[in-house]
Amino acid sequence: MSPNQSMKATGIAQEHASLNEISYHGVYYEKVTEGLAHILNPRATGGKKQQSVFYNPIQQFNRDLSVLAIRIFAEDLAKIRATRHERRLQKIANEGHKGKKRKRKDEAHPAREQKTNGIERAQGLETLHGGEQQVPSSIAEGADQQLDQAEVLSNGLRAVDTVKSGNEGLIVGDEDGANQSEQNTAALEADPQIPTGPKQKGICSDSAPSFEILDALSATGLRALRYVKEIPLVTSVTANDLSSPATASIRLNIQYNGVADKVNATTSDAKALMYKTATRASDLYQVIDLDPYGTAVPFLDAALQAVTDGGLLCVTCTDSGVFASVGWAEKTFSQYGGLPWKGPQNHEAGLRLVLNTIASSAARHGLAIEPLLSLNIDFYVRLFVRVRKSAADVKFLAGKTMVVYNCDQGCGSYRIQYLAQSKEREAKNGDKFYTHSLAQAPSANPFCEHCGFKTHLVGPMWGGPLHNPHFVAKILDLLPYLDRKVYGTVPRIEGMLTLALNETLFQDPIEITIPESQPFPPLSPALRDPHPFFVSPASLGRTLHTALPSDAALRGALIGLGYRTTRSHTEPGSIRTDAPWHVVWEVMREWARQKSSIKEGTIKKGMAGWEIMMKDRSRRGLEDTKQEFRDAIEKAEDVNVLREDVQAALHRLAGKLADGVDGHVQGSSTPEEGVDGQPSGIKVVFDEKLGKEAAGPKMVRYQMNPRPDWGPMSKAKGGP
């Protein structure tokens, strides 16, 4: 060993600072530190970097984000449990005594009377319809003292939610605040009365409410280690892998990190493990994380059944060449049940295909999903989906499933068709309810209404919102308190989540003001994304063969016409808007007329740009007049006849312009529908000042390639 390598004794481990190598139990490893966890990889020999257990440092962003998302979800679930607990105890206190029928039942079956310890009380909870639980009769005794405990618990949860707490290295804060937060967390974990739905496995010896995570495809176990060390409310994590070398690596890393009491390593087929878990309600997990090499589709059915009611499913799919590319459309359909998108919107469409696969798989078991956060990241997608048992919510799935008619060979416009309708009705007593019916079809012609080119079918895919803005806002609120040395990707998380928070243009803007003690509310199961996808200024300019308008100029023109604009996190330079396509093309025709004229001969008849420009009122009149001139020249017998024909053509053109056929009437500032559904009478102003985004802190909205030859990396070669 080189004498330049300094060595520091740390018990049985010796660290080589220059090479980041350690000797552990007489074996040399390369130590990787991420977050608060450390993993040991076998030292490469012979200059080869072949991995026996898969680890990709590029996905640190994925793991940092997952830790934060699960942390927020865990705190929210604790608030839900505390709220239900307080409500039930309050009901008991208000009643003051048991009903006669229940009393007679208990007298007839004295053996059913529950004992007073926390675990047996949890086992005695009777499950009601919809997952609710009834508090056993023994809890009625001493209800006042239990209400006081619930108040203490609620106060502790409020303190936890201030995020001035956590394990060492997680939060930047003062020592007194950290000590107080540790006391609050201890109070949270010590209360045995919090109902957890059907009794969850692994209730701790001190009767703390369980919060268990399954890392189904764990590889090195890095995720499992980070979850247990960085999320205060986690009680246990199961780190599973089919590969024996991977499981051996997981056990080594568990021992090195000193978390053997909370992390359990298993060697099993992930599907078999989850199906076995699904057979016992007491074994269900609060969170299941699927992070496979490739697609997660084969694991979805088992995972949906193994996660508890109201639990969180975290899904990664790295096969973007399938769900976001038309190269293997037949495989996309067999894998995700829909056809892919050709064009710049392909990655958002891929997200929606994966979501639709999860939603349809869940619906078969009477489960409804709510996407809390859905992101396209680098070469993969990452989704955080809440799963609920609700036959009523499942009925909305068809009304949130859409197909798209995409003009991918022509102008790039698209038309959306939902498979069903969900309409809100009002009963005679004033109650609201929904009816579900088939949608009228088709909503679009086989040929594009703007350029006349053939359209192609995309989907079916998810048509609901991609994110819950309350959940996204909670993560963003946590970021200022994090230690940047522990979470190195915070700048990128902040930029991407800020885009995600604002990218959905809801019909009625959602106000994000939640009391600290309250869980974030779910979105309505009937809610659709009213304006999915985006327009690409680069594609618009290429279609018309004009110079590209700046983002600010195009946004300013649309805002000036009364429409809203934002960005999409899936594509740099994108503009999401509620403006219909015929307005977008009218704005682009005005761009060509006012700012960037099209050179003669650049676009020709039969091209998409030609057909779009022909819909311009003034240009259509000029083209008609030019054609009349050509006909007159060909048919003219002498100069006098030609003069008369030209004068007549000019007279007709003057009449068209006088009638406002050019579509640019001064003084009009709002879009109006004209003939053929085209906007007439609009004044387009490319106001860059109006379209410029409000000044704010600089953010990393779109990640540049972090290093050469980066990506999903090669699959590990370690055998089972």
Side-chain angles (χ1 to χ4, degrees), residues 214-333:
L214 171 63
D215 185 10
L217 305 151
S218 196
T220 62
L222 179 57
R223 286 177 185 273
L225 296 171
R226 292 196 61 183
Y227 292 160
V228 79
K229 298 189 76 171
E230 299 176 31
I231 305 175
L233 298 182
V234 170
T235 56
S236 70
V237 179
T238 300
N240 176 75
D241 204 284
L242 179 62
S243 166
S244 298
T247 308
S249 176
I250 293 170
R251 292 194 177 98
L252 173 69
N253 292 325
I254 291 173
Q255 185 180 25
Y256 184 75
N257 284 268
V259 291
D261 58 329
K262 287 191 174 183
V263 182
N264 177 39
T266 60
T267 306
S268 177
D269 179 272
K271 297 190 292 294
L273 174 64
M274 291 185 287
Y275 278 128
K276 183 179 179 181
T277 300
T279 61
R280 295 184 58 188
S282 61
D283 287 348
L284 302 181
Y285 293 93
Q286 278 71 37
V287 178
I288 294 181
D289 193 334
L290 300 176
D291 184 46
Y293 188 92
T295 180
V297 169
F299 308 99
L300 291 178
D301 185 78
L304 287 163
Q305 297 180 67
V307 70
T308 189
D309 185 8
L312 182 69
L313 185 62
C314 311
V315 179
T316 299
C317 291
T318 63
D319 58 331
S320 57
V322 175
F323 61 73
S325 170
V326 295
W328 293 276
E330 70 284 356
K331 186 172 182 180
T332 308
F333 184 82

Side-chain angles (χ1 to χ4, degrees), residues 369-423:
I369 71 163
E370 179 192 4
L372 301 181
L373 180 62
S374 310
L375 297 176
N376 174 71
I377 307 166
D378 300 333
F379 54 88
Y380 61 93
V381 295
R382 182 65 168 167
L383 307 102
F384 301 90
V385 178
R386 180 157 54 186
V387 182
R388 295 193 305 272
K389 184 78 173 178
S390 175
D393 289 357
V394 169
K395 295 179 180 180
F396 291 98
L397 178 58
K400 293 191 295 187
T401 303
M402 63 182 179
V403 294
V404 181
Y405 298 91
N406 181 28
C407 183
D408 49 19
Q409 300 293 333
C411 64
S413 63
Y414 50 84
R415 188 76 176 263
I416 293 170
Q417 165 78 59
Y418 285 95
L419 300 187
Q421 301 180 78
S422 299
K423 294 184 178 180

Side-chain angles (χ1 to χ4, degrees), residues 548-564:
L548 301 183
S550 66
D551 285 359
L554 188 54
R555 286 160 59 94
L558 294 170
I559 294 171
L561 295 173
Y563 297 103
R564 295 176 293 166

Side-chain angles (χ1 to χ4, degrees), residues 23-321:
S23 174
Y24 187 65
H25 291 303
V27 180
Y28 286 101
Y29 299 93
E30 293 182 0
K31 187 178 82 168
V32 177
T33 299
E34 187 179 293
L36 296 181
H38 314 281
I39 61 172
L40 305 180
N41 286 330
R43 187 172 60 175
T45 59
K48 296 183 179 180
K49 285 289 184 179
Q50 179 63 56
Q51 296 187 95
S52 60
V53 180
F54 185 78
Y55 167 70
N56 189 351
I58 295 300
Q59 287 197 323
Q60 181 180 351
F61 175 83
N62 183 324
R63 291 183 285 268
D64 284 355
L65 179 64
S66 299
V67 168
L68 301 179
I70 296 175
R71 176 178 179 151
I72 294 299
F73 177 80
E75 293 173 359
D76 184 76
L77 183 60
K79 294 174 187 177
I80 293 174
R81 289 168 165 174
T83 301
R84 291 177 179 173
H85 180 61
E86 291 178 5
R87 187 168 59 245
R88 291 166 190 155
L89 293 181
Q90 187 64 50
K91 182 178 179 180
I92 293 173
N94 292 338
E95 290 177 352
H97 58 83
K98 296 183 293 183
K100 294 182 179 179
K101 179 181 288 188
R102 180 63 182 273
K103 184 175 181 179
R104 286 196 299 269
K105 182 178 180 181
D106 288 345
E107 290 174 353
H109 303 281
R112 294 184 181 179
E113 187 172 339
Q114 303 297 316
K115 297 181 181 180
T116 56
N117 69 73
I119 296 179
E120 291 185 323
R121 274 203 297 259
Q123 293 173 334
L125 296 176
E126 295 183 11
T127 302
L128 301 179
H129 180 67
E132 293 292 334
Q133 297 170 331
Q134 182 176 347
V135 180
S137 58
S138 60
I139 300 182
E141 301 176 0
D144 293 338
Q145 290 86 347
Q146 293 173 346
L147 283 170
D148 293 338
Q149 293 174 6
E151 183 63 29
V152 172
L153 172 63
S154 180
N155 292 336
L157 286 169
R158 293 187 185 99
V160 170
D161 197 59
T162 62
V163 300
K164 288 280 188 179
S165 63
N167 295 344
E168 182 182 356
L170 285 178
I171 302 298
V172 178
D174 59 275
E175 183 177 353
D176 293 339
N179 292 335
Q180 182 63 41
S181 299
E182 290 174 2
Q183 295 173 8
N184 293 332
T185 303
L188 171 66
E189 295 178 346
D191 193 288
Q193 302 297 323
I194 300 177
T196 61
K199 187 184 80 68
Q200 302 300 317
K201 69 185 181 69
I203 292 182
C204 301
S205 58
D206 60 354
S207 300
S210 67
F211 187 88
E212 301 197 347
I213 301 175
L214 171 63
D215 185 10
L217 305 151
S218 196
T220 62
L222 179 57
R223 286 177 185 273
L225 296 171
R226 292 196 61 183
Y227 292 160
V228 79
K229 298 189 76 171
E230 299 176 31
I231 305 175
L233 298 182
V234 170
T235 56
S236 70
V237 179
T238 300
N240 176 75
D241 204 284
L242 179 62
S243 166
S244 298
T247 308
S249 176
I250 293 170
R251 292 194 177 98
L252 173 69
N253 292 325
I254 291 173
Q255 185 180 25
Y256 184 75
N257 284 268
V259 291
D261 58 329
K262 287 191 174 183
V263 182
N264 177 39
T266 60
T267 306
S268 177
D269 179 272
K271 297 190 292 294
L273 174 64
M274 291 185 287
Y275 278 128
K276 183 179 179 181
T277 300
T279 61
R280 295 184 58 188
S282 61
D283 287 348
L284 302 181
Y285 293 93
Q286 278 71 37
V287 178
I288 294 181
D289 193 334
L290 300 176
D291 184 46
Y293 188 92
T295 180
V297 169
F299 308 99
L300 291 178
D301 185 78
L304 287 163
Q305 297 180 67
V307 70
T308 189
D309 185 8
L312 182 69
L313 185 62
C314 311
V315 179
T316 299
C317 291
T318 63
D319 58 331
S320 57

